[in-house]
Amino acid sequence: MRKIGLLVAGVAALGMALGQANVIKIATQSPLSGPQAALGEQIKLGAELAIEEAKAKFKALGFDLVLVPYDDQANPDVGVANANRIINDPDILGVVGHLNSGVAIPSSEVYARVNLVMVSPANTNPRVTDRRLPNVNRICGRDDVQGPVGAEYAFNNLKVKNVFIIHDKTAYGQGLAEEFRKRLEALGGRAVAFVGTEETSNFVPIINQIRAARPVPELIYFGGIYSQIGPFVKQLRERGVKTRLMGGDGLDSSEFVRLAGKENAAGTFYTTVAGPVSAFPKARAVAQRFKQKYGKDMEGFGIYAYDSANVILAALEAAIKAAGGKKPTREQVAQAVRQVKMEGLTGTIEFDDKGDNKKAKYFVMQVASTGNWADNKLIRVIEMAAPGAR
């Protein structure tokens, strides 16, 4: 009996190692619980919609296409633990994710051990691709461009010289704030303070610092996520501080209005690497399908996740054909992703030798007074090549 048990266990282990010949899975990793779940859900649902729409095509090729969503909780340790589970499922041939660069960087090191391809809709820290991992790609822009775009708009258009800069001490938030400061100072502006905080509820000490700052700041820049910036803005305005505010793409969620309050949020400037539906004519029909299916509006990272999933799907289709109709290896899929050139909802997607999109768009936005995120004003669109691209 013991021999039979061992034989069954061995067969099961072999099945896990080899996977299912006719099943192809794509994983998502993003926060699906906790304070950043609104953006994380957009990533999951955008990818899910693309995969649902591709199922019939892959069925004709002989494969069942399956989405496997993982909740990384915006936590590096959870992301890495999930990544280890993902690489141990041999049917997973691609990952759409993450939201947070601080989670993506260590998780992608795990994927790299088995050449599992990752296409990110949202990770902006330069290190994500500057490590030149052959399995890591992103279709969005980078903070070493996004930060300067914000600084240039603040200095040249808002005529701001003195800025109080706050960041959330993460790879994303601090990195973005540092790039903003660097460009602001190069233009002749001044960071009157550069403060890191992990506080999420009591911002009175920082508000007091802002009030006491000299020279008087003409703008507050916050490198962080809406879940932290929203309560900060609410308390800032409730205490009578009317200084203009700017953030990055971490602020790009309708949840910011709910947390800050409609009147307090109105007029806030932000840069984003994931433009709204209104910026992409091709996205309108997809956004309608998204609304019908999920009962909520498609936002920027939902659009970019849809495109990220379609990059993996295009690479899978090419790799299947190159393999004579057989299921490709992870390495073959990763190589095929780097060969993709496609017109997505967001524009042309084609990767350089580091995995950056050869040209990425950056958007300057302003929060509308209506409280409806879709009404936010699109001020400027800039398309730029990634630094150091070849």
Side-chain angles (χ1 to χ4, degrees), residues 107-127:
S107 299
S108 61
E109 301 275 356
V110 177
Y111 307 142
R113 297 206 300 260
V114 295
N115 297 306
L116 177 62
V117 75
M118 173 185 120
V119 180
S120 173
N123 298 131
T124 50
N125 187 284
R127 281 189 59 216

Side-chain angles (χ1 to χ4, degrees), residues 220-233:
I220 299 164
Y221 186 87
F222 203 139
I225 304 290
Y226 68 87
S227 54
Q228 185 184 31
I229 304 174
F232 164 76
V233 172

